[in-house]
Amino acid sequence: MAVCVAVLSLMRTLELEFLQPLPRPILQEMELISCNKEFIQSLHQKLGDLIELLNESRIDCVEAIKELETKLRDVAFRVEDEIEFQIAHLHKTEEEFEIGTPQGDTDAQSPFKLGLILQQGIEDIDAVKEELVNINNTLDVLPISAAEPASEFDNEMIFIDDDFDDDFESIQMILIPTLFIRRCNIVAISGVGGIGKTTLARRIYEDPKIASHFYKRAWVVASKYHNERQMLLGILNSIGYANSSTHYDDLERLEIKLYEWFKCERCLIVIDDVWSVEACDAIRRCFPEDEDENDSRVLLTTRLPETYFSSNSVFFNQMHPLHPSDSWDIFCLKAGTSHCANFETIARPIVEKCRGLPLAVVTVASVVSNLNVDPGEWENIAMTNIVEVCSTIISLDYSRLPYNLKACFLYLGIFPEGKVIYVKDLVRLWASEGLIKEFANQSLDEVAERCLQDLLDRNLILESKRSYCGRKIRAFKLNDLVHAFCVREAQKEKLLHVVPGNGFQKGSRWLSIQSTDFDDDARTLLHSCRSIFCFSEVKSLHLKSFNLLRVFYFTDASMCKKIVDLVHLRYLPQVVRDFRMIKLLKAWNLQTLDVYADEKLKKFGQQQYSQSPSKLELKPCDCTIELFLRSPHLKEVVITGERRNCNDCIDTLVFLGQLRRLYINGSVCDYRTPPRISINNQIAGLKSLVELSFRSMNFEWNGINVLCQLPRLKVLRLLSSSIGKEWEFDYDHVFYSLVYFEIFSTDLKYWEARDIHFPKLERLLLRDCFRLRELPCGFDGIKTLKSIELTRCIPSAVNSAKQIQEMQHKCGNKDLVLIEKETIIQPSSDEDVSTEDESDEDEAEES
């Protein structure tokens, strides 16, 4: 829904333009902020309150709310447009004044104009909020049946019960426990929409053994939004325990009545389609505390993953998509196989499109069985039905997302179908659009990680790459049908226009150019466009038409030459060395700028105080205190140059208090006798560092122990960067946070360490460690260890790793995996083995 994008965007614009510590100088000079401070803060607060109210109410199923959201969207976009047009006009007026052109409107009118914009916005927001509260109050007094959505069972077809046998038996043993089965009050059947949750629950509910065990049974459908009072009323109504007066009871009295019923009767309640943990918690509170004397059970179906249910009193049954062979068997059983000679050749690709969802398989099979057309036409007709079924499923998932997550999800439609989306780029894009922001206790990366994990849990994205430590998603893709939904929904909400595509919609905010066939002649329709994404080279693009542009994304670095003076620009992915930085002087809120440091950047930095690039690729001579003082928000630095000079640069890096990732690549001067270097101990001052990679630096092993002083370091990669035959640890040398450790190409022979030195290590990679005799035996006590990977190591090192794995398995860590690649014969003598990295592997790949 565009309302989520509109409100979040406006709130972020207010924060960047008026509420940050260093606002745009021209706004301060003309007193726009000081004269309207109360209006600004009031509007920002009201927008935040309204989003919370929408999230809490979850009443997007009501037609009146859709109309209200449209009103709110239009108000937010209008206010943001007027604010940013005025700021752009101020800069234009200032420029005209400098060249002697008459200014037109006087400067004194600007604070008054802004005040009118803000006042009108506040009035419109208040009106929307009042309507929303009235609708919410009306819903609260409606009978439960008026607020119930359709059950998933109503849309789901029962096909082959045998496919549910394992799930059925597991759940039945929990519902009718023996002495040897743990008691659980609540059983949750989880899985994606259309996978058969309701069908399985219905089979359990109607099973004769279940029916005879429980004195009373009830089936209710959870409300699309969580309303505890209505849910309890629905349960009491369904068992005949409620009367007309019950509807006027308060929540506590309803809980007591349900508690008494659970305690006195052995009953089974099925709650279908639960979308909130709060609903589960509300039921749990109604159970008697003594579980041994309570034989009542609740069976619920939900799309929420197991991680949402932390209580031991919940038995979790996860349903998975059908195996391709099972999908095919079900399809054949339903559709029949006597249609034509090449039935399988035509039909199998259709079944694969169903993604293992029983509902989609059965629906398409039913369609095919009734088709009286040439089999060659099946795919087009069947795909229409697959899209409809899957769109319904995706739409339900989407409607239950919190508003901020809806905005982040819709945004994924800007990327071409099938494209791998890198999280690192996406985080910056989300932030530039105002869809996410960092908090006092959470960085941008952490906020984005939570959003992506939520989308992954709901099966809305497909993970394609994890970080080195295995904890974070680094890249993902969208299923074709999910991508089509994002594009269709964003276009319907007038957010997105894709080229090639249909005619440009007036008011579209995002322009995704996926073809060279782009014509920007419709300039009058482009004034509201905030973001341009060029996935192919576009020669006819003229950015002067987009004076409110905040994001300019491209994959071809030469596109940066099209940049003009853009006041509101926040995102620019990369610039070439000859780029004229003067073009960005007015882009006060620029958040992402990846550049190579040079004199132009240094001059640019002298005139800017709010903006700062988030990543820099530098030579050692570029690493000056002056540069880093002007770039306090740098998160990532890559330094490439001569070894000793790179090592000396660490002295200046300590001024970067927010630096999270550091990559230092030393150049090789002498392959035969590489000089040893003592690691610069000033590196211990980089307390925010999370990831560190050294290449070809040739540090002495014992000097590496200084890195133990980095409290947040999770990823450490030593690539041809440490020399010496021995590495020992003292008692106080502890890598407290390290989860991923990689060593490549070293002459290390003896390594002494214990589990206390790597208490959180999960992944250990050793590659081309030709001399290493064995891994530290103390590693068999690292309880967190998940994988050890050895590539081109000698047999004794491999055997020691096997012993560690065996001991870990005996101690209960069955998850530890040992990966062996290209074990080599132990060298016959101590002749020198090159420690330089001569491989062509992509070691520069981002973690």
Side-chain angles (χ1 to χ4, degrees):
M1 298 177 185
V3 62
C4 49
V5 176
V7 174
L8 292 173
S9 180
L10 175 55
M11 289 180 68
R12 191 59 180 150
T13 294
L14 292 173
E15 291 165 1
L16 289 175
E17 296 294 357
F18 307 124
L19 298 176
Q20 67 162 308
L22 288 173
R24 196 181 294 268
I26 195 170
L27 301 181
Q28 299 181 72
E29 293 169 7
M30 298 186 173
E31 300 183 346
L32 268 74
I33 300 175
S34 58
C35 292
N36 296 289
K37 190 172 183 179
E38 292 185 6
F39 290 146
I40 294 167
Q41 292 175 338
S42 176
L43 179 58
H44 185 270
Q45 181 66 44
K46 288 178 183 294
L47 289 166
D49 292 344
L50 200 51
I51 282 291
E52 285 189 17
L53 186 59
L54 285 167
N55 273 328
E56 291 171 1
S57 302
R58 303 311 304 270
I59 49 184
D60 46 22
C61 57
V62 182
E63 193 64 33
I65 296 305
K66 295 181 180 179
E67 296 178 7
L68 207 56
E69 286 178 335
T70 301
K71 280 187 185 179
L72 180 56
R73 176 200 68 188
D74 293 342
V75 168
F77 278 155
R78 187 202 72 222
V79 172
E80 185 174 46
D81 285 349
E82 291 176 350
I83 289 173
E84 293 190 329
F85 271 124
Q86 185 177 12
I87 293 172
H89 178 71
L90 288 175
H91 278 286
K92 183 178 180 181
T93 302
E94 182 184 49
E95 183 180 330
E96 291 173 348
F97 178 77
E98 290 175 355
I99 62 176
T101 305
Q103 294 186 50
D105 295 338
T106 63
D107 294 345
Q109 293 178 317
S110 297
F112 177 70
K113 284 184 176 181
L114 179 61
L116 290 178
I117 294 171
L118 297 171
Q119 277 183 292
Q120 186 61 53
I122 290 171
E123 291 176 9
D124 293 340
I125 294 297
D126 283 340
V128 171
K129 183 177 181 180
E130 184 178 355
E131 289 186 57
L132 180 59
V133 171
N134 290 337
I135 294 173
N136 200 13
N137 291 338
T138 302
L139 283 176
D140 281 340
V141 300
L142 286 175
I144 185 70
S145 60
E148 284 185 354
S151 165
E152 181 183 341
F153 179 73
D154 295 337
N155 299 316
E156 202 170 86
M157 302 178 67
I158 299 179
F159 39 97
I160 301 178
D161 285 344
D162 293 344
D163 291 301
F164 292 146
D165 282 349
D166 292 339
D167 296 302
F168 177 84
E169 291 173 5
S170 299
I171 295 172
Q172 188 184 61
M173 285 191 296
I174 298 297
L175 295 177
I176 309 177
T178 66
L179 294 175
F180 305 102
I181 302 295
R182 71 181 178 96
R183 292 175 176 268
C184 289
N185 289 334
I186 300 176
V187 178
I189 303 176
S190 176
V192 299
I195 205 167
K197 301 184 296 296
T198 303
T199 302
L200 175 59
R202 180 69 69 178
R203 177 182 170 188
I204 293 169
Y205 183 77
E206 296 176 348
D207 180 70
K209 187 176 181 180
I210 295 290
S212 63
H213 177 77
F214 292 99
Y215 301 146
K216 288 189 177 182
R217 293 172 302 142
W219 183 290
V220 296
V221 180
S223 176
K224 190 175 181 180
Y225 56 95
H226 174 62
N227 185 307
E228 186 173 335
R229 184 176 178 278
Q230 287 190 355
M231 183 178 68
L232 298 185
L233 265 177
I235 294 173
L236 291 169
N237 276 328
S238 66
I239 60 175
Y241 199 76
N243 52 44
S244 58
S245 63
T246 308
H247 289 273
Y248 299 98
D249 288 347
D250 58 25
L251 183 61
E252 185 176 356
R253 285 182 60 82
L254 293 175
E255 289 180 347
I256 292 173
K257 288 184 178 182
L258 196 55
Y259 171 88
E260 292 173 347
W261 191 66
F262 279 142
K263 188 173 183 179
C264 298
E265 303 278 357
R266 181 192 295 165
C267 54
L268 171 66
I269 297 176
V270 178
I271 307 178
D272 193 22
D273 208 19
V274 171
W275 283 88
S276 71
V277 179
E278 290 78 13
C280 183
D281 292 338
I283 294 297
R284 187 187 291 116
R285 288 196 298 271
C286 298
F287 274 95
E289 294 182 2
D290 189 352
E291 293 187 3
D292 292 335
E293 297 182 2
N294 175 36
D295 290 328
S296 294
R297 297 290 181 263
V298 170
L299 175 65
L300 58 88
T301 68
T302 179
R303 301 191 191 192
L304 296 176
E306 185 174 5
T307 53
Y308 282 61
F309 299 87
S310 58
S311 173
N312 291 327
S313 64
V314 178
F315 174 79
F316 201 84
N317 187 85
Q318 177 73 49
M319 297 186 70
H320 300 284
L322 294 171
H323 188 274
S325 61
D326 293 330
S327 295
W328 177 248
D329 290 343
I330 292 171
F331 179 84
C332 291
L333 184 68
K334 184 69 178 178
T337 58
S338 59
H339 291 274
C340 60
N342 57 344
F343 172 79
E344 183 171 352
T345 303
I346 298 173
R348 271 200 182 273
I350 298 175
V351 176
E352 290 172 1
K353 297 285 186 181
C354 294
R355 300 192 297 158
L357 297 180
L359 178 60
V361 173
V362 174
T363 301
V364 173
S366 178
V367 170
V368 169
S369 66
N370 292 304
L371 286 179
N372 294 315
V373 297
D374 185 275
E377 298 295 322
W378 285 1
E379 183 170 3
N380 291 335
I381 298 172
M383 279 304 299
T384 302
N385 287 272
I386 293 175
V387 170
E388 288 180 1
V389 170
C390 293
S391 293
T392 301
I393 294 170
I394 296 166
S395 181
L396 283 171
D397 281 311
Y398 172 69
S399 68
R400 266 79 166 198
L401 293 176
Y403 274 84
N404 65 312
L405 201 53
K406 285 181 181 177
C408 293
F409 177 60
L410 277 190
Y411 195 76
L412 303 180
I414 64 173
F415 296 97
E417 181 179 330
K419 183 176 177 62
V420 174
I421 302 171
Y422 287 91
V423 173
K424 195 171 180 181
D425 294 334
L426 183 63
V427 171
R428 298 176 182 181
L429 288 168
W430 275 350
S432 298
E433 302 282 6
L435 305 183
I436 62 170
K437 64 177 181 179
E438 60 187 5
F439 297 94
N441 60 341
Q442 278 192 314
S443 67
L444 272 178
D445 289 337
E446 291 168 336
V447 172
E449 181 184 350
R450 190 182 71 243
C451 291
L452 289 169
Q453 189 60 50
D454 204 346
L455 294 176
L456 184 65
D457 289 341
R458 297 167 189 265
N459 294 282
L460 292 173
I461 62 174
L462 304 173
E463 174 190 319
S464 60
K465 182 181 179 183
R466 284 239 160 208
S467 62
Y468 287 124
C469 63
R471 291 186 173 185
K472 298 180 180 180
I473 305 170
R474 288 304 186 197
F476 65 92
K477 295 174 67 175
L478 294 181
N479 176 275
D480 293 350
L481 296 174
V482 174
H483 178 269
F485 175 86
C486 287
V487 172
R488 186 170 61 253
E489 193 70 19
Q491 289 176 333
K492 184 175 70 176
E493 296 286 347
K494 299 182 179 179
L495 287 172
L496 173 65
H497 175 65
V498 179
V499 178
N502 297 326
F504 192 92
Q505 283 188 309
K506 187 175 182 179
S508 295
R509 312 278 286 191
W510 309 327
L511 176 60
S512 180
I513 305 175
Q514 302 172 20
S515 167
T516 55
D517 299 329
F518 173 71
D519 184 3
D520 66 350
D521 288 339
R523 300 184 182 184
T524 57
L525 302 178
L526 302 175
H527 74 281
S528 295
C529 186
R530 294 302 200 282
S531 307
I532 297 177
F533 308 90
C534 296
F535 297 100
S536 59
E537 186 179 0
V538 183
K539 296 181 179 179
S540 62
L541 184 64
H542 303 290
L543 293 186
K544 286 186 178 181
S545 305
F546 304 86
N547 58 347
L548 297 183
L549 194 67
R550 64 173 58 146
V551 169
F552 186 33
Y553 176 94
F554 46 80
T555 54
D556 183 355
S558 64
M559 291 292 292
C560 72
K561 296 179 180 179
K562 295 184 177 294
I563 290 290
V564 295
D565 187 6
L566 295 168
V567 171
H568 297 292
L569 194 65
R570 299 180 191 172
Y571 179 98
L572 191 60
Q574 53 186 315
V575 295
V576 292
R577 285 188 176 274
D578 60 349
F579 177 73
R580 297 182 60 202
M581 302 299 288
I582 193 73
K583 295 180 179 180
L584 302 178
L585 284 179
K586 295 178 183 177
W588 183 258
N589 294 318
L590 190 63
Q591 297 174 6
T592 295
L593 176 65
D594 290 350
V595 300
Y596 288 91
D598 55 18
E599 292 301 318
K600 291 185 177 66
L601 176 61
K602 294 171 186 176
K603 292 177 181 179
F604 175 63
Q606 293 174 359
Q607 303 178 54
Q608 296 291 0
Y609 302 95
S610 173
Q611 60 195 13
S612 160
S614 55
K615 173 185 175 181
L616 284 178
E617 297 185 17
L618 309 168
K619 295 179 180 178
C621 61
D622 296 322
C623 300
T624 64
I625 296 175
E626 183 182 24
L627 175 63
F628 291 149
L629 284 176
R630 295 195 188 98
S631 306
H633 304 299
L634 265 174
K635 300 294 193 302
E636 179 177 332
V637 168
V638 180
I639 302 174
T640 303
E642 198 276 325
R643 288 175 179 145
R644 294 188 184 276
N645 292 339
C646 287
N647 194 39
D648 292 340
C649 288
I650 295 173
D651 288 331
T652 57
L653 291 173
V654 296
F655 292 96
L656 299 175
Q658 298 183 34
L659 188 65
R660 293 176 60 84
R661 290 176 287 272
L662 175 62
Y663 308 92
I664 296 183
N665 305 315
S667 60
V668 179
C669 298
D670 190 339
Y671 284 92
R672 293 170 299 176
T673 57
R676 294 178 179 231
I677 300 176
S678 296
I679 192 171
N680 191 332
N681 287 335
Q682 292 298 318
I683 198 169
L686 301 178
K687 300 300 183 184
S688 296
L689 210 60
V690 173
E691 182 176 336
L692 177 61
S693 176
F694 290 117
R695 179 192 292 276
S696 301
M697 290 301 294
N698 285 16
F699 294 129
E700 297 176 347
W701 271 113
N702 288 336
I704 294 295
N705 292 340
V706 71
L707 302 180
C708 293
Q709 299 178 42
L710 299 174
R712 301 180 64 185
L713 188 66
K714 293 182 179 180
V715 175
L716 176 60
R717 305 174 72 223
L718 303 176
L719 312 175
S720 304
S721 285
S722 297
I723 60 176
K725 295 182 179 180
E726 298 182 3
W727 187 19
E728 298 179 355
F729 283 74
D730 291 336
Y731 182 79
D732 59 346
H733 289 153
V734 181
F735 286 92
Y736 286 101
S737 301
L738 198 68
V739 297
Y740 177 96
F741 186 26
E742 179 179 359
I743 303 175
F744 173 74
S745 189
T746 178
D747 58 357
L748 179 65
K749 191 172 183 180
Y750 304 105
W751 184 7
E752 297 291 335
R754 300 194 61 79
D755 54 343
I756 60 172
H757 299 125
F758 297 90
K760 294 185 178 180
L761 188 64
E762 295 181 6
R763 295 186 63 194
L764 175 65
L765 281 80
L766 303 176
R767 300 189 297 115
D768 289 6
C769 297
F770 304 116
R771 300 293 183 83
L772 184 63
R773 295 294 187 260
E774 61 181 13
L775 277 65
C777 60
F779 278 16
D780 59 15
I782 302 178
K783 298 179 180 179
T784 56
L785 203 57
K786 294 180 180 178
S787 68
I788 300 175
E789 183 175 325
L790 304 178
T791 303
R792 293 185 296 276
C793 293
I794 61 177
S796 61
V798 175
N799 290 334
S800 69
K802 290 179 178 178
Q803 293 173 9
I804 291 172
Q805 182 189 37
E806 182 179 352
M807 184 60 68
Q808 288 268 4
H809 286 181
K810 287 182 179 179
C811 294
N813 182 10
K814 304 293 185 181
D815 296 330
L816 177 58
V817 176
L818 176 60
I819 304 171
E820 307 171 45
K821 297 180 181 178
E822 303 177 43
T823 302
I824 63 170
I825 300 176
Q826 185 172 350
S828 57
S829 63
D830 288 339
E831 69 271 17
D832 291 338
V833 179
S834 174
T835 62
E836 298 303 333
D837 181 4
E838 298 177 359
S839 70
D840 294 329
E841 296 182 4
D842 186 15
E843 295 297 346
E845 181 182 35
E846 298 171 351
S847 68

